[in-house]
Amino acid sequence: MREGNGPIQPIADIIPYRAKATPEKVALQELAPDGDLDDTSFAELKRQVDAFAAHLCERGVSRGDTVALVMSNSKRWVIAYHGIFRLGAVAVPVEHAVLHTQPDRVQYALDHAETRAVICDAADSAHLREIAGSARHIVPAQEVDVAAAPGELPPQPDVTPDDLAQILYTSGTTGPKKGVALTHGNIMFNVRRCCESLGILDDDCLPAVLPYHHAFPLTTTIVLPAYAGTRMVVGDVRDRRFRDLLRRCRPTVIIGVPRVFESMLAAVRSSAARAGLLGRLERAQSASALVKKLTGINIGKVLFRRLHRELFGGMQLRFCVSGGARVSPRLLRQYFLLGIPLMQGWGMSELSPVGAAQRFRRFRFYFTRHYERKAGSIGRPLDGTRIALVGEPQQVPPPDGQERGEMVVSGPHVMRGYYKDPGRTAQQMAPLGLRSGDIARRDKDGDLYVIGRSKHVIVLASGKKVFPEDDLEEELSQCAAIEEFAVRPIADEEGAEKIGIIIRPNTDELKQRGVAT
């Protein structure tokens, strides 16, 4: 599909195109109550999207209206999302987890985006009526009969790449309650480039298990699979059936955040410990590390084939991608030893959201030490994306001629701006592009490494500037007795700043070492 004049332009083109090109191919799977996977073909998905769109149309939703999605992960979420675009309306995904704990956050998004309708889970409809007020239509998704023949629908609006597609509300790291306004062109450019950079295939299986209101899973696990014609599996990483879902769907690509991969590895070790096999696991990891060091060959997939079958239902997993936060290089290397390629990417909601990513190359992973040497890198910018390093806050030149500075990003996926907030938009934009607030270094090969936030630099009395994420995280993350930690400046008696570390201990580890308190 060619950029600019291909068959898929706005997001609304995706499902109709796939329904015509591969109508019987499985588009989506969801874990049923009996534990089996229910299949939905592209043709059936289109019919259900049209049925949902017809229901919204009956409620008065039309082109340009904003429609909120306040739901837990489900097939209905995906159907409703595409149904909004079928009418040329604008999606406003809102975090479902805060609906009952922080309803003011939900209300702010509904009011600020001036939503005409709110799509929700049926169990939350009464609560949302209280929050949303009588002026908005509340649409319980489970009460929409998508199995029925679609009602009368107007012709699909002529939406252009420059038209607004969605507004994402994020507190982020640069201020609270920002509505990130993304166009169809922003999102589709990012989807195309992610497919190319990551090497997504039309026979891949890609689980969608992160909360859908976030930009990262929304683009890479909801829009991208349908665009690429891959099999998407609906689930939730917080669901107790998550591991069963992975085994049953047999994923080939897993996209997650660091906490997902940390939890998966911790579960493997805990399971091995309960079975009395932890020592055997660690010896096998040591053997894998030794062979890699001596030959460059990764034998992890052979050594841990039983583990692959238990976790992923077989040996078909190609690679994983972590985004949303910095991954410890130690965690990456532990996955490598198991024969699991774990790549790292970087982005922000304002970039639709991916800005850079490591490219997976099979030969490099299994027959060289490339990824071990590059552990901690976020790779290179996506094709068509420029990342300049600007305004180095550390005056000492970086070693070996490497660049260092704040990442400023330009490209077709940079947001239109913050919704109804031109002042904040202007603050975020620089002559070279969007200011990320992340400090990075670029090595001689062109690979980027995030080393901290521009506002998190700690200046010591000696004048040395410390980036906690880069200078301390790797060492601290290797201590098994530390479960979580935060690095922040503290003042001594004379007011000079020093490095302070707040630690939450791993009590299970300490108990195993005989530490009672």
Side-chain angles (χ1 to χ4, degrees):
M1 293 162 214
R2 294 171 295 170
E3 195 77 55
N5 58 356
I8 299 177
Q9 289 304 302
I11 299 170
D13 288 346
I14 295 175
I15 302 302
Y17 174 83
R18 287 295 167 197
K20 184 177 181 180
T22 54
E24 301 306 317
K25 189 174 183 182
V26 175
L28 184 149
Q29 291 180 311
E30 186 173 35
L31 198 62
D34 62 4
D36 289 334
L37 288 172
D38 285 340
D39 295 348
T40 302
S41 68
F42 277 108
E44 177 62 14
L45 181 58
K46 179 186 182 302
R47 197 189 62 74
Q48 294 182 6
V49 167
D50 286 348
F52 207 102
H55 184 86
L56 292 177
C57 187
E58 291 172 3
R59 297 292 190 100
V61 175
S62 60
R63 176 176 179 160
D65 288 336
T66 50
V67 180
L69 277 159
V70 191
M71 299 172 64
S72 54
N73 287 12
S74 66
K75 173 183 170 180
R76 292 277 176 152
W77 201 107
V78 179
I79 292 170
Y81 181 69
H82 285 286
I84 292 169
F85 297 131
R86 169 61 182 82
L87 298 176
V90 178
V92 184
V94 180
E95 185 176 5
H96 176 262
V98 302
L99 176 58
H100 294 279
T101 57
Q102 296 176 280
D104 58 311
R105 286 178 54 181
V106 175
Q107 185 174 17
Y108 175 85
L110 301 183
D111 293 342
H112 188 256
E114 300 177 284
T115 53
R116 183 177 182 83
V118 181
I119 304 170
C120 64
D121 292 321
D124 296 323
S125 58
H127 185 53
L128 267 165
R129 282 191 178 93
E130 295 177 5
I131 296 172
S134 58
R136 294 186 178 90
H137 294 292
I138 304 299
V139 184
Q142 290 81 1
E143 295 177 10
V144 179
D145 187 5
V146 295
E152 186 175 346
L153 267 174
Q156 185 166 315
D158 184 19
V159 175
T160 73
D162 292 330
D163 285 333
L164 186 62
Q166 64 191 24
I167 306 168
L168 301 177
Y169 283 87
T170 172
S171 58
T173 53
T174 54
K177 297 178 179 177
K178 298 176 299 184
V180 178
L182 300 175
T183 66
H184 288 268
N186 290 153
I187 297 166
M188 292 308 302
F189 174 86
N190 209 237
V191 165
R192 292 185 183 101
R193 292 299 183 252
C194 283
C195 282
E196 295 164 3
S197 296
L198 299 178
I200 302 298
L201 308 175
D202 61 6
D203 60 351
D204 273 325
C205 172
L206 208 162
V209 295
L210 298 175
Y212 296 164
H213 71 280
H214 282 301
F216 180 44
L218 192 50
T219 293
T220 59
T221 68
I222 300 296
V223 183
L224 183 151
Y227 171 81
T230 69
R231 177 164 52 99
M232 176 177 64
V233 183
V234 170
D236 195 321
V237 71
R238 298 162 295 187
D239 193 311
R240 58 180 176 80
R241 301 184 299 169
F242 169 62
R243 292 188 65 182
D244 188 41
L245 177 71
L246 282 189
R247 282 194 300 270
R248 286 182 176 274
C249 76
R250 294 172 54 85
T252 59
V253 177
I254 297 176
I255 292 178
V257 293
R259 187 59 182 160
V260 170
F261 298 109
E262 290 166 2
S263 298
M264 286 176 61
L265 189 62
V268 167
R269 291 184 59 83
S270 296
S271 179
R274 287 194 301 270
L277 300 174
L278 185 57
R280 183 177 174 181
L281 173 69
E282 291 175 341
R283 287 192 295 274
Q285 286 178 303
S286 297
S288 179
L290 181 61
V291 172
K292 188 70 173 182
K293 180 179 179 181
L294 295 177
T295 69
I297 297 174
N298 189 305
I299 61 170
K301 203 163 189 175
V302 176
L303 276 181
F304 297 100
R305 54 188 177 276
R306 180 178 175 182
L307 177 64
H308 280 248
R309 294 190 184 104
E310 290 177 354
L311 287 178
F312 314 121
M315 307 294 288
Q316 76 292 329
L317 181 73
R318 296 201 294 128
F319 61 91
C320 304
V321 181
S322 179
R326 188 173 185 266
V327 187
S328 162
R330 177 172 175 263
L331 181 71
L332 294 167
R333 295 188 184 104
Q334 287 178 314
Y335 268 84
F336 298 163
L337 293 178
L338 299 175
I340 302 174
L342 178 54
M343 306 294 103
Q344 185 172 193
W346 171 87
M348 50 197 300
S349 299
E350 291 87 341
L351 297 176
S352 308
V354 183
Q358 284 185 307
R359 277 64 163 174
F360 172 67
R361 299 292 181 265
R362 183 179 177 83
F363 181 84
R364 280 183 171 180
F365 181 78
Y366 288 105
F367 299 104
T368 77
R369 302 181 186 86
H370 173 81
Y371 291 107
E372 284 75 12
R373 290 189 294 104
K374 297 289 186 176
S377 170
I378 60 170
R380 300 181 184 184
L382 300 183
D383 290 345
T385 301
R386 180 176 183 271
I387 299 181
L389 302 184
V390 176
E392 169 54 49
Q394 173 84 26
Q395 298 306 314
V396 179
D400 303 323
Q402 296 184 11
E403 298 177 74
R404 190 163 66 187
E406 180 183 359
M407 291 192 286
V408 178
V409 189
S410 59
H413 55 324
V414 174
M415 66 172 181
R416 172 188 287 183
Y418 294 120
Y419 190 62
K420 297 194 296 188
D421 197 342
R424 185 173 285 174
T425 300
Q427 291 175 2
Q428 199 71 18
M429 301 303 295
L432 291 177
L434 180 82
R435 296 188 58 186
S436 70
D438 282 330
I439 304 298
R441 63 180 176 88
R442 192 186 334 248
D443 67 17
K444 292 182 290 185
D445 299 326
D447 292 303
L448 291 160
Y449 298 76
V450 177
I451 62 175
R453 293 287 297 171
S454 59
K455 63 181 182 179
H456 291 170
V457 180
I458 299 173
V459 184
L460 302 180
S462 63
K464 178 177 175 57
K465 297 181 179 180
V466 177
F467 297 95
E469 295 95 328
D470 189 53
D471 296 329
L472 297 173
E473 183 172 291
E474 171 67 1
E475 291 191 42
L476 290 171
S477 64
Q478 294 185 38
C479 180
I482 298 176
E483 182 170 329
E484 292 181 293
F485 63 88
V487 180
R488 57 176 294 176
I490 58 173
D492 62 16
E493 296 82 358
E494 298 178 357
E497 285 194 334
K498 296 183 179 297
I499 301 297
I501 305 172
I502 303 169
I503 290 174
R504 177 182 177 183
N506 185 328
T507 53
D508 292 338
E509 176 70 21
L510 293 176
K511 286 177 182 176
Q512 290 180 15
R513 298 183 185 185
V515 180
T517 62

